[in-house]
Amino acid sequence: KPGHIRDSNKTTLKFLIQSKGFHVVDCGIAKDDLSTLKQKLSDSLTECDLLVTTGGVSMGDRDLLRQVLISDFGAQIYFARVNMKPGKPTTFATCTVNGKQKLVLGLPGNPVSATVTCHLYVVPACKALSGQEEPLPGKVRAVLQTSRPIKLDPRPEYQRIWVKFASGESVGSASNTGNQMSSRTTSMAQSNGLMILPGRSQELQEVPAGSNMEFDVILTGDLTTAL
């Protein structure tokens, strides 16, 4: 419809969480006004142990999630800014509803940011709530293959990459999936991992072309073997 955008976040996050074996309840869409958001949060928190939202956590006039959580639900905000790219506005809070503690993870609205932070925060939180003793994702090492320099951001960056391993090798070979802007869902769809690039420093300003530098990778999809 004119003036509307497709809700890719809900479809993507719902599938991702369900693929890990967790039950998902679709609580709908809340408009960016105080009364509507309050009612939607109240209904959702009554039904869910962990509430995941997208959007409404940045610095705009209509980014109201934290305000409503604090003023109407007495929530404690543990963090609302994270030194990472993408995903800086990610928010974590707890509140008590009907005598039971509820967890709230507010993810950014950009599709790639929402998906990356779902892998890094939501899935581990679901695993922890289900009683798994090691909920954090594992990491592998891979060499970043690049034909051009990659400038580092001041924040650690989770680049979407495709990683593969040669038979018998413990260090993989990775290439990024093109433009890494946080609205480009193709960068996520074509990836099977998140390569953690360090924040820019005086010692390291960029990843030089052909440098064969190794970095940690969090796997988000299936591995392939390089022939």
Side-chain angles (χ1 to χ4, degrees), residues 93-114:
T94 61
C95 60
T96 301
V97 176
N98 297 329
K100 186 174 181 180
Q101 187 182 61
K102 306 288 183 170
L103 309 184
V104 181
L105 274 166
L107 309 184
N110 275 325
V112 172
S113 302

Side-chain angles (χ1 to χ4, degrees), residues 15 23 40 98 104 107 126 138 152 176 180:
F15 174 80
H23 178 64
K40 183 64 71 173
N98 297 329
V104 181
L107 309 184
C126 290
L152 296 176
N176 71 26
Q180 297 286 299

Side-chain angles (χ1 to χ4, degrees), residues 163-200:
V163 60
K164 55 188 177 181
F165 284 78
S167 180
E169 294 293 329
S170 60
V171 177
S173 174
S175 56
N176 71 26
T177 55
N179 192 316
Q180 297 286 299
M181 63 191 301
S182 58
S183 60
R184 184 174 176 266
T185 56
T186 308
S187 73
M188 198 76 217
Q190 294 177 341
S191 70
N192 67 349
L194 300 171
M195 177 167 275
I196 308 172
L197 301 184
R200 187 171 64 235

Side-chain angles (χ1 to χ4, degrees), residues 12-195:
T12 302
L13 301 190
K14 184 177 179 181
F15 174 80
L16 174 56
I17 297 167
Q18 287 177 328
S19 72
K20 305 300 181 181
F22 301 106
H23 178 64
V24 175
V25 176
D26 181 357
C27 297
I29 298 173
K31 294 182 178 179
D32 293 325
D33 67 74
L34 292 172
S35 60
T36 302
L37 183 56
K38 176 184 176 181
Q39 186 60 54
K40 183 64 71 173
L41 287 174
S42 178
D43 295 341
S44 303
L45 288 167
T46 299
E47 191 168 5
C48 302
D49 296 314
L50 168 62
L51 177 63
V52 180
T53 66
T54 63
V57 292
S58 194
M59 300 297 289
D61 292 341
R62 292 293 180 175
D63 290 320
L64 304 172
L65 180 65
R66 289 191 292 273
Q67 176 183 337
V68 174
L69 285 173
I70 294 171
S71 62
D72 294 293
F73 296 90
Q76 180 174 351
I77 307 294
Y78 290 88
F79 58 80
R81 290 288 183 271
V82 184
N83 187 37
M84 62 181 293
K85 180 184 179 181
K88 183 178 179 179
T90 302
T91 297
F92 173 60
T94 61
C95 60
T96 301
V97 176
N98 297 329
K100 186 174 181 180
Q101 187 182 61
K102 306 288 183 170
L103 309 184
V104 181
L105 274 166
L107 309 184
N110 275 325
V112 172
S113 302
T115 308
V116 168
T117 51
C118 186
H119 279 287
L120 298 180
Y121 295 98
V122 178
V123 172
C126 290
K127 290 180 177 180
L129 287 172
S130 70
Q132 295 189 32
E133 294 183 357
E134 297 183 1
L136 297 179
K139 298 175 183 176
V140 297
R141 295 285 286 180
V143 172
L144 179 58
Q145 306 286 350
T146 178
S147 59
R148 58 178 180 79
I150 297 177
K151 292 183 178 181
L152 296 176
D153 192 84
R155 296 167 285 165
E157 181 175 2
Y158 292 79
Q159 283 227 340
R160 281 70 71 199
I161 53 97
W162 184 265
V163 60
K164 55 188 177 181
F165 284 78
S167 180
E169 294 293 329
S170 60
V171 177
S173 174
S175 56
N176 71 26
T177 55
N179 192 316
Q180 297 286 299
M181 63 191 301
S182 58
S183 60
R184 184 174 176 266
T185 56
T186 308
S187 73
M188 198 76 217
Q190 294 177 341
S191 70
N192 67 349
L194 300 171
M195 177 167 275

